[in-house]
Amino acid sequence: HNDPTETAHESDTHEILETCSQWAPNLSFSAEQVQQARVCFRTSTIDRLPYIGKLPDFNTMRREASQYQSGTNLSAKVSIQYADGVYVHAGHGSRGLLSCPLGGEIVARLVVNEPLAELNDAATLCCPSRLPYRLLGKEKS
């Protein structure tokens, strides 16, 4: 975490191999067998929850927020505006294997206007509309 270097660290390789040998002892490898290690970056959000759902229209919301002074509770004054027909499904980080299928189902239901039903709590938690107020508030500070 928080390491932007593009070079693999030998200590990380050893840690990963140790974890693999604990979880799957029949598949364990030694560090000597690793010919080349790679570095990969995963996109993640500040709060570690993916953005899944309708994309807010940030420019429209910014124009509406511009009339208020710094310190104003923007979530009470500026209504969420959405870009027409644009959806986002991003920022899954290291939990993508779990959250991507769920996100796909949420987006599919939103696109065809099908009720979210049992997915409503997850959709609310991951809704991208949580971001504009945070960004607008920083612009006002």
Side-chain angles (χ1 to χ4, degrees):
H1 289 285
N2 301 321
D3 184 358
T5 58
E6 297 177 14
T7 307
H9 300 290
E10 193 172 324
S11 61
D12 290 340
T13 302
H14 286 288
E15 182 182 339
I16 291 167
L17 292 172
E18 177 64 30
T19 302
C20 286
S21 70
Q22 291 173 5
W23 289 352
N26 295 337
L27 300 176
S28 63
F29 300 96
S30 68
E32 293 76 35
Q33 292 175 294
V34 176
Q35 294 178 4
Q36 182 180 8
R38 298 182 309 175
V39 173
C40 299
F41 295 98
R42 296 182 182 118
T43 59
S44 186
T45 63
I46 290 173
D47 58 8
R48 302 238 189 252
L49 290 171
Y51 296 127
I52 303 169
K54 288 185 174 186
L55 185 68
D57 184 347
F58 189 70
N59 290 331
T60 300
M61 292 177 69
R62 179 185 280 141
R63 281 192 299 277
E64 190 176 330
S66 68
Q67 64 185 322
Y68 298 104
Q69 295 179 357
S70 178
T72 300
N73 179 2
L74 294 175
S75 62
K77 303 280 186 183
V78 178
S79 61
I80 285 285
Q81 304 291 321
Y82 292 101
D84 192 34
V86 182
Y87 300 85
V88 66
H89 187 308
H92 294 273
S94 63
R95 295 168 187 86
L97 286 174
L98 297 173
S99 60
C100 281
L102 173 71
E105 181 65 24
I106 291 170
V107 170
R109 289 186 188 190
L110 290 172
V111 167
V112 297
N113 290 318
E114 192 175 301
L116 292 173
E118 74 282 359
L119 300 177
N120 194 54
D121 288 346
T124 300
L125 192 62
C126 296
C127 185
S129 65
R130 69 186 193 274
L131 180 63
Y133 293 123
R134 179 181 293 149
L135 294 176
L136 290 171
K138 286 181 180 179
E139 287 180 1
K140 288 286 184 185
S141 310

